């Protein structure tokens, strides 16, 4: 079994990457690291609002990944832009109860019909956080 630790620098860099995307007004629903056993590691899913928005997000993410400091942190397969992850992001948002949640690891859980072996939420659009209480 591969090591499930995720380097803190990747978590911090992903927060900055997503904040830049949000500040640029791009249509994303969520961003979260997801442990994928079949890949033997962590994948950062950036969830586009729709299939039509995927291309814009892919172009923006690709451009940002070539800039510093992202170029030093992310490998080629680390980040996937995918609008098909909306239901999974919605399930993750419904699971989260307390803020701040960004960068906090959620170990094995089954929620909203989705199994997470490990997840680290980075960004969830406000409407996905149905049960959030600010601590």
């Amino acid at each position: 079994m591969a090591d499930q630790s995720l380097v803190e620098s990747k978590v911090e860099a992903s927060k900055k990457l997503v904040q830049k995307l949000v500040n640029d007004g791009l249509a994303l629903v969520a961003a979260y690291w997801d442990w994928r056993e079949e890949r033997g590691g962590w994948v950062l899913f950036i969830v586009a609002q729709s299939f039509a928005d995927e291309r814009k997000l892919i172009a923006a993410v690709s451009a940002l990944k070539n800039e510093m400091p992202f170029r030093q942190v992310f490998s080629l397969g680390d980040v996937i832009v995918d609008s098909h992850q909306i239901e999974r992001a919605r399930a993750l948002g419904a699971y989260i109860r307390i803020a701040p949640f960004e960068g906090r690891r959620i170990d094995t859980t089954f929620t909203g019909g989705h199994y997470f072996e490990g997840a680290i939420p980075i960004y969830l659009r406000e409407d996905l956080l149905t049960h959030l209480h600010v601590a």
Side-chain angles (χ1 to χ4, degrees):
M1 181 173 178
D3 179 19
Q4 287 193 27
S5 64
L6 183 62
V7 179
E8 189 174 322
S9 62
K10 285 191 177 192
V11 172
E12 290 308 312
S14 61
K15 288 178 185 178
K16 290 176 185 171
L17 177 75
V18 169
Q19 190 59 55
K20 176 88 172 108
L21 296 170
V22 170
N23 289 347
D24 289 349
L26 291 159
L28 66 148
V29 174
Y32 59 91
W33 287 95
D34 195 11
W35 173 259
R36 293 296 175 110
E37 183 68 38
E38 71 275 9
R39 292 181 64 130
W42 291 93
V43 175
L44 175 62
F45 281 100
I46 297 179
V47 184
Q49 180 172 290
S50 69
F51 182 72
D53 294 315
E54 272 187 29
R55 284 190 171 183
K56 291 177 191 170
L57 266 174
I58 289 169
V61 169
S62 296
L64 286 171
K65 279 178 46 181
N66 288 324
E67 296 177 6
M68 295 297 278
F70 309 117
R71 181 172 62 199
Q72 290 180 316
V73 178
F74 297 117
S75 64
L76 190 59
D78 279 348
V79 183
I80 296 174
V81 177
D82 188 359
S83 63
H84 292 98
Q85 297 293 317
I86 291 174
E87 287 304 315
R88 199 161 165 79
R90 196 170 278 132
L92 192 57
Y95 178 82
I96 294 172
R97 301 283 192 259
I98 298 174
F101 60 85
E102 299 88 350
R104 291 188 178 179
R105 182 171 172 166
I106 299 169
D107 286 317
T108 307
T109 190
F110 184 80
T111 181
H114 294 273
Y115 175 75
F116 293 90
E117 188 171 343
I120 301 174
I122 300 300
Y123 168 81
L124 294 164
R125 197 172 62 192
E126 199 171 304
D127 63 305
L128 297 184
L129 299 166
T130 56
H131 302 289
L132 183 66
H133 303 285
V134 180

